[in-house]
Amino acid sequence: MSRLKLEGVTRRFGGLVAVDDVSFEVPAEGVTAVIGPNGAGKTTLFNLISGALPPSAGRILFEGQDITGLPAHKVATAGLVRTFQLVKLFEDLSVLDNVKVGCHLQGRAGLFAALLRPASARREEAAVDARARELLDFAGLSAFADEPASGLPYGRQRMLELARATAAGPRLILLDEPAAGLNTEESAALSRIIRRIADDGTSVLLIEHDMTLVMNTADRVVVVDFGRKIAQGTPAEVRADPAVIAAYLGTGKPSPDPAATQEAAHG
Amino acid sequence: MTISPSITSPERRPFRLVGLLPWLFAAVVVGYAMVVGGYAATVVSFALIYAVFVTGLNLFMGFAAQVSFGQNAFAAIGGYGSAVLTATYGWSPLPAMVFGIAAAVLAAAIVGFPALRLKGHYLAMGTLAIGLITYEITVEWQSVTQGYLGISGIPPFGIGSWEVTSDRGQLVMLSLVVAACAFAAARIRRSRFGRALSAVAGSEEAATALGIDVSRYKLMAFLLSAGFAALAGSLFVHVVGYVSPEVFGLHMVIVTFTMLYVGGIGTVAGPLVGALIVSLLPETFRAFKDYQDLAYGAALILLLIYAPRGLASLFAPRGRS
């Protein structure tokens, strides 16, 4: 059974069809990427999957369970956690506490546990602390644990958002342009971290403009344009697909040069 | 370059000592009032009651970063609940107080469920309406509240045959209540529940994406805040022995907002420090006679210029409290 399955998912905004009858599957293993020119409907697609928006038609199945139209926090509870195109950290919290918030779904302590602090709550808190520190270590942020999150440089904020999402213990993680604004070096480090998350058994679905990252990281690529899925396959297959090249170059003439595809994708 | 997480490490120790200063200040002020008694004791007693209210307000406005101009409504429910049940129906103070708090939390749940769908300015307007409506009810429902006349003859707080009647006894009792409230706020701050509130404050979208039920946590913060407000209202009527609609009017909203911002919104010590400073400042400027309000206003402006995050934030490392 695939981790995630989209069946004819459609979203209309008035007369505009932002996502048009998209179907694809995300297998449990590895990294799947969604690419497409600006305005192709990628972020809308993510908003539909993560529950931020309800679809106008179609079904979304997560591990066989119908999650179509569930509120976003319930989608997360089901094991599907997303990050954002523009980093959304809890800026007044420390770096460590940001990751601890990410552990929210791992815990159960409520108001009374907060006030009375029974042994179970203390154990839970100790476990959360240990896990959060482990993840900071994983993301290379241990040295900044007690700094306010707002003080981190941009590249590290991205890493923190990734660590925080991982803390939720998702079985599928949605990454919305994780490499946006990163330099080549940071992007390569990100690629390694994404690979490791996938190797640890979490499926990864990402939207990305950075073709280097996609080609190096993704096992499968889904290409969307004008809200429709136009191609699907391995990075190499997709790169050679005439429809994809046409979409990126905006002409009907297929170009055999993959470098051209990359250039256009950056633009 | 390595930063030790241990709180006993030398580089953290100064922060912890500095963090005690606001509490030390509060202890000195309360201690002074205890020794001097009389008018000073009355002023500090009121300040401590306000501190309870503002601690609750801070849970909703500081921790969860929502806005409410209507928490005075819940203070009124707590206060009138205590007043009516003890003075009119002869209940003893403790059950009356518990009943008043329960009624306020219930009212907050009924009102908060729809109202918390509003955000920002709209939430502010909606909650302001709650306060104004409650005020009108306390004025108009004369058979129960006796309107503008108010209710007098409310017994002092006590449990069983033990009653708190002296100024100093009241100060001790109120100090204990305030300490318990601050302790609760501190524990909430460093818990899964408190972190969820901070997450709601930081980014509702990100909080939701991590599985936090944002509307549920907002409502919980609102209910807690209402509970603290009702406790403060109830304490007030038992300390003063009298209640009228004006006690919980718009003036209370303005004073408590000032306390919250002067003390330090989002901090644990802020509400107490703010309540004490804002209560004491006008008194210290009494010598200015006609210019008392002017001096008070100028002092507030200076405070907000030089400590924009509040006085308590001066003693806390950033991002902590």
Side-chain angles (χ1 to χ4, degrees), chain A residues 72 88 104 107 109 115 125 143, chain B residues 3 5 187 192 195 205 208 217:
Chain A
K88 291 186 199 294
H104 186 81
L115 294 176
E125 195 59 26
Chain B
I3 293 167
R187 282 217 153 168
R192 177 173 178 267
R195 283 193 300 266
E205 265 182 299
T208 303
Y217 277 94

Side-chain angles (χ1 to χ4, degrees), chain B residues 20-34 48 175 272 276:
Chain B
L20 288 177
L21 278 177
W23 305 107
L24 201 65
F25 163 75
V28 167
V29 170
V30 174
Y32 171 78
M34 205 98 72
L48 291 175
S175 299
L272 175 57
L276 288 171

Side-chain angles (χ1 to χ4, degrees), chain A residues 47-119:
Chain A
N47 285 338
L48 296 176
I49 297 172
S50 66
L53 279 175
S56 310
R59 287 210 310 162
I60 301 166
L61 300 171
F62 179 64
E63 297 181 325
Q65 178 202 351
D66 193 340
I67 59 163
T68 321
L70 275 189
H73 71 269
K74 293 229 171 94
V75 172
T77 310
L80 199 163
V81 170
R82 71 169 297 177
T83 64
F84 295 89
Q85 192 169 343
L86 299 168
V87 186
K88 291 186 199 294
L89 294 174
F90 309 123
E91 297 196 342
D92 286 340
L93 290 181
S94 70
V95 169
L96 180 66
D97 279 348
N98 263 271
V99 183
K100 284 185 177 178
V101 173
C103 296
H104 186 81
L105 285 172
Q106 311 277 312
R108 295 222 315 271
L111 177 60
F112 289 102
L115 294 176
L116 305 175
R117 252 182 228 178

Side-chain angles (χ1 to χ4, degrees), chain B residues 233-318:
Chain B
S234 175
L235 287 170
F236 181 88
V237 304
H238 287 302
V239 166
V240 178
Y242 168 77
V243 65
S244 73
E246 301 305 326
V247 170
F248 306 115
L250 212 50
H251 177 251
M252 184 182 203
V253 177
I254 296 164
V255 169
T256 52
F257 264 61
T258 312
M259 290 170 171
L260 183 57
Y261 282 93
V262 165
I265 187 166
T267 64
V268 172
L272 175 57
V273 173
L276 288 171
I277 296 274
V278 171
S279 302
L280 296 177
L281 265 187
E283 304 301 330
T284 54
F285 293 131
R286 206 160 272 277
F288 288 65
K289 297 211 169 75
D290 287 353
Y291 298 102
Q292 186 186 349
D293 285 346
L294 186 68
Y296 172 57
L300 284 185
I301 291 171
L302 287 177
L303 277 175
L304 289 176
I305 290 173
Y306 291 104
R309 289 168 67 97
L311 287 169
S313 70
L314 297 177
F315 305 108
R318 236 208 111 189

Side-chain angles (χ1 to χ4, degrees), chain A residues 27-50:
Chain A
E29 304 79 29
V31 178
T32 308
V34 177
I35 64 169
N38 279 327
K42 302 184 299 292
T43 294
T44 305
L45 188 63
F46 257 36
N47 285 338
L48 296 176
I49 297 172
S50 66

Side-chain angles (χ1 to χ4, degrees), chain B residues 6-49:
Chain B
S6 162
I7 48 167
T8 53
S9 65
E11 64 267 35
R12 290 289 300 271
R13 194 169 286 146
F15 279 129
R16 288 180 64 78
L17 282 179
V18 166
L20 288 177
L21 278 177
W23 305 107
L24 201 65
F25 163 75
V28 167
V29 170
V30 174
Y32 171 78
M34 205 98 72
V35 172
V36 175
Y39 183 65
T42 307
V43 170
V44 172
S45 291
F46 286 172
L48 291 175
I49 294 170

